[in-house]
Amino acid sequence: VPGALFTIAYGINNIGQIVGTYESSVGQRGFVDTNGVFTSVDYPGAVDLSVWGINDKGDMVGSYEGGPDGFVSFLDINGVFTPISYPGTKFTYTITHAFGINDFDQVAGTYYVDPVPTPEPSSFALITSGVLGIWTCRKRFWPPTNRS
């Protein structure tokens, strides 16, 4: 993409249209290259958008960062965007990526859910050592002794 900080191509169809992502001064956006003509793909309100696949009809799939809820996929048919999420995912953080689309508009992708935030092992070790340190000091210095 002319003027981009970087450009990454992710997909190509049998007609030679190429899709991918590029970084500009306003963030990461998707693109489609049709015979050397680059067109931006922007899902309304999306941040860090990537277009991953395109079929021979020009229908595209991709994903974007959807804020604190995770990554959301989309289907773009002639500029009409439809969000794609895995059914029933009502967890704190979900990642859905639509990577490919065939000429029957069947979409392939992945999803990941993180139902419960888990602490890092180093956090657990730090908390444990702090509790043990307090317990040791309590046994050594409590109750106060009369040192007269």
Side-chain angles (χ1 to χ4, degrees), residues 31 41 43 87 114 125 133:
F31 75 88
V41 177
Y43 189 94
D114 186 8

Side-chain angles (χ1 to χ4, degrees), residues 44-132:
V47 177
D48 291 340
L49 183 138
S50 295
V51 180
W52 297 98
I54 186 168
N55 64 16
D56 291 344
K57 298 186 298 182
D59 302 335
M60 297 176 278
V61 292
S63 58
Y64 64 91
E65 188 172 351
D69 296 331
F71 284 82
V72 179
S73 290
F74 65 87
L75 170 63
D76 175 1
I77 299 177
N78 297 321
V80 177
F81 290 88
T82 304
I84 300 171
S85 358
Y86 189 80
T89 53
K90 296 181 181 174
F91 296 101
T92 56
Y93 191 80
T94 304
I95 299 172
T96 305
H97 286 299
F99 290 117
I101 183 169
N102 66 16
D103 291 333
F104 298 104
D105 289 336
Q106 294 171 319
V107 177
T110 63
Y111 81 97
Y112 167 80
V113 294
D114 186 8
V116 179
T118 44
E120 298 274 337
S122 58
S123 300
F124 180 74
L126 182 62
I127 290 170
T128 303
S129 65
V131 169
L132 288 175

